[in-house]
Amino acid sequence: MPKRSRQTVSRRAARPRLASFCAAGSALLLPGAAARGQSVAGIAGMDSAGGFFGLSLGAGLVIFATITALLHLAGRRLWSRREAELTAEIDQLNQKVERARAFLASETQFVVVWGGSGGEPEIEGDVSLVLDAPAPRRVLGFGAWLSPAQAQTLEANVALLRERGHGFRQDLVSQNGRHLEAEGRAIGSRVVMRVRDVSGDRLELMRLRKVQAEQKAQLEILRGLLDLTAHPVWTRGPDGDLDWVNTAYARAVDAKSPQDATARGLELLDRPAREAAARARQAGNIWRRREHVVVAGVRRLMDVLDAPLPGGGGGLADDLAELEALRADHARQVESHIRTLDQIATAVAIFDRSKRLVFANAAYRHLWGLDQAFLEQGPSDSEILDQLRAGRRLPEQADYRAWKMALLANYQIMEPAPQVWHLPDGRTVRVAFDPNPQGGITYLFDNVTERFTLESQYNALARVQSETLDALQEGVAVFGADGRLKLCNPAFLRLWRLPAGLVAEHPHIDTITAASRPLVPHDAVWSDLRSAVAGLHSVRMGFERRMNRSDGAVVDCAAAPLPDGGTLLTFIDVTDGVNVERALKERNQALLAAEQLRNDFVHHVSYELRSPLTNIIGFIQLLGDGSVGPLNEKQREYAGYVLKSSAALLAIINDILDLATIDRDAMELRFGEVDIQRVIGEAAEGLQDRLAESHVELSIVAAPEIGGFRADGQRIRQILFNLLSNAVGFSEPGQVVTLAALRRENEIVFKVSDRGRGIPPELLDKVFDRFESHTINSRHRGVGLGLSIVRAFVELHGGTVHIDSAPGEGTVVTCIFPLRGGETESRPKIDPLLEARA
């Protein structure tokens, strides 16, 4: 029952109760009032105050009853009018329900309605359409009356309808063979699915819809395929306007998309071509022509086809640019082949199936001495042979006619055998025949005269080499890949005391080994020799071995693999050389012992001199500072001389120790980060007394941000000190010695320059030699070890030293150090004397 009808019934049931309640109230109130009046009239003795109160109460009850009765009458009139309206509305709804049921009954169908609250669905209609039993709830089990595939699709459509409101239409075939149509849509907060039987026109409509869908899918497939092709394709409607174009067409006319090209009517062909194609379509003819078309801003040659079609027309454009490019490339390749054939030494002549010349390269013309004009006329093969015979440029033949017929018969042979022609002028020509697939033949002429000459020369050279091997004093033997002796010289037979007839038998290496074993009984030597000769090719390697024979001779053996798989063995008697070598080794060992004795003597003497000299310097310093008593001026002057001489002598001894340590390879540097500014200052500090004594000024040029580099700081300071001492010694009073330091890409450069007398060119190569001191009339005195020390320490750092000097212009010494001179540090091995000196 509808909700509004239930409300109307409840109101009708409530009206009698309300009326009876009102009537009962009135009856209850009115008799009370009468009794109350009687009571008031009957009681004469009540005082005036009590009587007024009772009268007021009775009047109020009467008024309340009256108002209640009036309200009841007004509400009853409203209820009656509302009841009439609801009754009319119920009648209208009943009529609509009857019309809806009649509409449902007009077709064989049923409807399923799902409410918005997710409750049970309502099913109306003839469910016997799909079910044999009258059980409406089984309709929702789609698998009970549909195939599994259709049931799964229908369940998915219903789920989308209920969840998102997506309508659907689906053609179905029930299990009993009936054709059905399911349609779903959302109506307000409800969703409705209608399933109806289709037959007759509707069934035909469904079939047509299926055919239309299939044809539409095929059309989309065809259009998709046409979109993948690189050829522009288009269709036109009955009015001749563009109806559809593919992606290639859109690219050709610079359109954003095929839809943009059809919407804007962008034409690929120019107006004359379009008009010609339109006239052909109207006449029912196919229009085909090659046109130059602008495609994406580039002019291209295209093969255009335009044909009339049912309902309009269509066209296709085939880009011929690639074909034309292939043709041009083929022409270029043919021309390139012709140029290549003109460059090769083989003479080539091509004849067609009619035996006429179609091509001849330059080598052919040069080989036979034929005129270019004659060949350009395309003579026949027979005419060319006749002309060559007339010029005596063919082999002499007893029967020329038969020979020519046999030669021309090669046109019919699939694989003719090559021939060798010996010409009257002494040339030898090899002739090869290559039949052409299209008919005809190609002649290939190779002038092999030089090859025959080389072959004879090779044979002569082989004989010369054989004679040379026989004259050698070294034993030479060649073994093949099978380990058998191929050839050997007499020296080999004499060296191993083998019989002369052994070579003719080509013995195996094992036979040679067995015959030579008494001279060299060591099995290891012969095993290695056999592996070199008869070993596997993948592991065969050359080797050299010295063999000490039992007769006192010494033989050097060398094995070298040959390219053909053989092995070359050479044996040299080095007995005399070994004896000389032994004598030289003994002498060398004596020299090394003498050098070691000298170095030990230098170290010992330097150490023994250094210890008392250190004591002398210490005592002189004590005398000079007055610790043991005052000295007069003369004594102090003499003590200063002694101190300077001792210091100079100590420096010489230290330099000798350094050089001796370098000679023994015991000098190793202590690498660390060296501050350039600091090491320059320390070197200059130790030179102040010499600068003051010589009245020479020192100028230091170095940028404050020059930083440092990796080196041995003590040796760098010693290098700079020696260079500055040398420069000060060769400078005149008042001159300036300059020490400059600069940083380049991966190098640190120190330059010490002076303006002294300079060094003559003939002495520049000797200044770094030890004990070479060339004072050149200067105040400098020394033993010639300073620059030797400099070069030795710079080279230990991996650097180089350069010296530039000219007489009268001064000297510049440049030391170049690598920026990272000591990447790997290790604890240096210090000579014991240097350790004591430190």
Side-chain angles (χ1 to χ4, degrees):
M1 180 180 295
K3 182 178 181 181
R4 184 172 295 179
S5 300
R6 287 195 299 267
Q7 292 176 353
T8 304
V9 172
S10 61
R11 288 175 181 175
R12 289 177 180 176
R15 286 175 183 174
R17 290 195 299 268
L18 181 60
S20 60
F21 175 76
C22 293
S26 300
L28 181 64
L29 291 174
L30 290 176
R36 182 74 61 184
Q38 292 176 2
S39 176
V40 170
I43 301 174
M46 184 179 295
D47 56 10
S48 59
F52 180 75
F53 176 76
L55 182 62
S56 297
L57 179 61
L61 292 175
V62 172
I63 294 173
F64 174 75
T66 303
I67 293 173
T68 301
L70 293 175
L71 291 175
H72 171 69
L73 293 176
R76 186 172 183 178
R77 286 195 297 272
L78 291 174
W79 294 337
S80 299
R81 186 166 57 251
R82 182 59 179 166
E83 181 180 3
E85 292 175 354
L86 292 177
T87 302
E89 184 176 358
I90 290 172
D91 294 338
Q92 292 178 358
L93 292 176
N94 290 331
Q95 293 175 4
K96 290 182 179 180
V97 170
E98 293 299 328
R99 286 196 300 271
R101 289 178 177 174
F103 175 75
L104 289 175
S106 64
E107 293 188 62
T108 307
Q109 61 182 346
F110 63 88
V111 178
V112 182
V113 181
W114 286 273
S117 60
E120 292 293 328
E122 299 178 7
I123 302 174
E124 295 289 343
D126 186 6
V127 296
S128 63
L129 178 65
V130 295
L131 298 175
D132 296 335
R137 296 294 302 171
R138 291 183 58 192
V139 170
L140 299 180
F142 302 133
W145 49 279
L146 289 176
S147 63
Q150 292 184 350
Q152 184 177 3
T153 304
L154 184 59
E155 288 178 359
N157 291 335
V158 170
L160 288 176
L161 175 65
R162 297 186 64 185
E163 294 175 2
R164 304 181 182 180
H166 292 177
F168 69 91
R169 180 188 295 272
Q170 183 178 353
D171 296 328
L172 306 172
V173 178
S174 64
Q175 293 182 356
N176 54 15
R178 306 187 71 167
H179 291 272
L180 308 173
E181 181 187 52
E183 180 182 4
R185 65 180 62 184
I187 302 176
S189 62
R190 299 170 179 264
V191 292
V192 179
M193 181 186 71
R194 181 177 68 168
V195 179
R196 60 178 178 172
D197 184 18
V198 292
S199 59
D201 294 340
R202 292 185 178 275
L203 182 60
E204 181 66 18
L205 179 61
M206 287 180 59
R207 189 184 67 79
L208 292 177
R209 285 178 181 174
K210 182 178 180 181
V211 172
Q212 181 190 15
E214 293 176 353
Q215 292 180 350
K216 187 175 180 180
Q218 293 177 359
L219 178 61
E220 292 299 326
I221 292 174
L222 292 176
R223 288 184 174 181
L225 291 175
L226 292 176
D227 279 333
L228 297 177
T229 184
H231 307 297
V233 181
W234 64 92
T235 59
R236 299 182 183 275
D239 54 356
D241 294 335
L242 289 175
D243 182 46
W244 176 85
V245 297
N246 67 344
T247 305
Y249 186 100
R251 288 197 302 266
V253 298
D254 292 331
K256 297 180 179 179
S257 62
Q259 294 77 13
D260 179 50
T262 55
R264 296 164 56 188
L266 300 178
E267 294 288 350
L268 179 66
L269 305 177
D270 55 8
R271 182 179 296 276
R274 293 200 307 272
E275 293 176 353
R279 289 193 297 269
R281 285 198 308 273
Q282 292 175 0
N285 299 325
I286 297 176
W287 184 78
R288 184 191 298 271
R289 185 177 300 175
R290 291 189 176 183
E291 293 285 337
H292 287 282
V293 180
V294 178
V295 177
V298 180
R299 188 175 180 84
R300 294 179 177 270
L301 180 63
M302 288 194 170
D303 189 2
V304 182
L305 171 68
D306 195 290
L309 299 173
L316 170 67
D318 187 9
D319 192 354
L320 300 179
E322 184 176 358
L323 178 60
E324 293 298 324
L326 290 175
R327 289 178 177 175
D329 183 63
H330 179 263
R332 287 193 299 269
Q333 289 183 2
V334 170
E335 184 179 357
S336 174
H337 290 329
I338 292 175
R339 290 197 303 267
T340 302
L341 291 176
D342 282 337
Q343 298 297 323
I344 64 176
T346 301
V348 180
I350 303 175
F351 293 86
D352 59 11
R353 64 180 62 188
S354 61
K355 302 179 182 179
R356 304 195 71 85
L357 181 68
V358 295
F359 172 78
N361 66 347
Y364 180 83
R365 298 191 301 270
H366 177 72
L367 177 65
W368 301 115
L370 296 174
D371 186 32
Q372 177 68 23
F374 171 71
L375 296 178
E376 289 178 353
Q377 296 175 3
S380 65
D381 195 356
S382 179
E383 292 174 349
I384 294 176
L385 291 175
D386 292 341
Q387 184 170 354
L388 292 177
R389 180 174 181 271
R392 297 191 75 251
R393 285 168 285 180
L394 286 179
E396 297 292 345
Q397 301 293 334
D399 189 353
Y400 169 72
R401 184 181 299 275
W403 178 83
K404 185 174 72 170
M405 294 300 295
L407 183 65
L408 296 179
N410 290 324
Y411 281 85
Q412 285 76 36
I413 301 176
M414 295 301 299
E415 295 182 359
Q419 301 178 7
V420 177
W421 293 356
H422 298 281
L423 305 182
D425 58 2
R427 294 181 298 171
T428 302
V429 177
R430 182 182 181 275
V431 185
F433 309 93
D434 184 17
N436 300 328
Q438 296 82 13
I441 198 170
T442 300
Y443 287 93
L444 302 174
F445 301 92
D446 286 321
N447 189 355
V448 295
T449 306
E450 185 177 358
R451 189 183 72 182
F452 278 93
T453 303
L454 291 176
E455 185 176 353
S456 62
Q457 292 177 355
Y458 170 78
N459 293 332
L461 181 61
R463 289 192 297 271
V464 171
Q465 290 178 348
S466 178
E467 295 294 335
T468 303
L469 288 176
D470 291 343
L472 289 176
Q473 297 299 320
E474 294 82 3
V476 178
V478 177
F479 291 85
D482 56 354
R484 291 188 172 274
L485 181 66
K486 298 301 181 184
L487 62 91
C488 65
N489 62 347
F492 174 77
L493 300 176
R494 291 194 305 269
L495 186 63
W496 296 106
R497 304 173 186 176
L498 300 174
L502 188 64
V503 180
E505 301 175 0
H506 299 291
H508 196 268
I509 182 63
D510 293 338
T511 304
I512 302 296
T513 300
S516 304
R517 192 178 298 275
L519 295 176
V520 180
H522 304 290
D523 293 336
V525 175
W526 297 112
S527 177
D528 294 343
L529 194 63
R530 188 187 187 284
S531 298
V533 172
L536 297 176
H537 293 277
S538 59
V539 297
R540 289 174 64 246
M541 298 179 61
F543 77 96
E544 295 181 356
R545 184 67 55 85
R546 174 159 291 181
M547 307 168 69
N548 297 314
R549 303 201 323 186
S550 59
D551 58 357
V554 179
V555 178
D556 279 349
C557 174
L562 298 178
D564 61 351
T567 304
L568 172 66
L569 297 181
T570 59
F571 299 91
I572 303 175
D573 188 353
V574 294
T575 305
D576 297 336
V578 169
N579 293 333
V580 173
E581 181 182 358
R582 289 172 181 169
L584 292 176
K585 285 184 177 179
E586 292 174 357
R587 182 178 180 183
N588 185 52
Q589 291 176 356
L591 292 175
L592 291 176
E595 183 180 2
Q596 181 66 28
L597 181 61
R598 184 203 65 184
N599 292 335
D600 293 342
F601 174 76
V602 170
H603 275 270
H604 182 70
V605 170
S606 300
Y607 178 73
E608 294 298 331
L609 289 175
R610 186 179 181 278
S611 297
L613 188 59
T614 304
N615 295 332
I616 293 173
I617 293 175
F619 287 124
I620 292 298
Q621 289 177 348
L622 288 175
L623 292 174
D625 60 12
S627 300
V628 295
L631 299 177
N632 55 31
E633 196 65 31
K634 202 65 174 179
Q635 291 172 338
R636 188 177 293 107
E637 181 181 357
Y638 291 160
Y641 292 153
V642 174
L643 182 61
K644 290 180 180 179
S645 300
S646 301
L649 181 58
L650 181 61
I652 293 172
I653 294 174
N654 289 336
D655 290 342
I656 293 175
L657 283 173
D658 289 340
L659 291 175
T661 304
I662 293 173
D663 290 341
R664 294 176 57 188
D665 292 334
M667 175 67 71
E668 290 194 14
L669 304 179
R670 290 185 174 92
F671 285 100
E673 197 66 25
V674 177
D675 188 344
I676 296 176
Q677 291 280 5
R678 180 177 178 182
V679 75
I680 289 176
E682 292 175 351
E685 182 65 25
L687 204 67
Q688 293 301 321
D689 55 342
R690 298 192 185 184
L691 293 172
E693 180 182 353
S694 302
H695 302 287
V696 176
E697 182 180 351
L698 175 61
S699 175
I700 298 176
V701 179
E705 65 277 4
I706 191 171
F709 70 108
R710 192 168 182 78
D712 188 333
Q714 178 182 356
R715 302 307 176 187
I716 298 297
R717 182 169 58 253
Q718 188 174 354
I719 291 170
L720 298 180
F721 180 82
N722 288 345
L723 291 177
L724 291 174
S725 299
N726 192 69
V728 171
F730 283 95
S731 298
E732 298 294 334
Q735 292 184 344
V736 178
V737 174
T738 303
L739 171 58
L742 57 96
R743 178 187 295 269
R744 292 195 296 215
E745 293 182 355
N746 294 316
E747 297 174 338
I748 296 296
V749 180
F750 293 98
K751 287 188 177 182
V752 177
S753 57
D754 63 74
R755 305 298 297 175
R757 296 178 180 272
I759 303 174
E762 63 273 10
L763 299 179
L764 281 178
D765 297 335
K766 301 179 180 180
V767 295
F768 290 108
D769 295 340
R770 298 178 184 180
F771 305 107
E772 290 287 341
S773 179
H774 304 281
T775 58
I776 318 174
N777 299 325
S778 65
R779 297 178 295 102
H780 180 71
R781 296 292 182 270
V783 294
L785 295 177
L787 292 180
S788 299
I789 291 290
V790 168
R791 183 173 66 176
F793 284 158
V794 172
E795 291 177 351
L796 282 176
H797 281 81
T800 57
V801 182
H802 304 285
I803 184 167
D804 297 322
S805 181
E809 296 183 5
T811 304
V812 178
V813 181
T814 304
C815 298
I816 302 174
F817 295 89
L819 192 60
R820 307 296 295 176
E823 290 297 334
T824 59
E825 294 187 28
S826 62
R827 192 176 186 277
K829 296 181 290 185
I830 304 300
D831 188 85
L833 294 179
L834 290 178
E835 193 72 42
R837 176 181 135 189

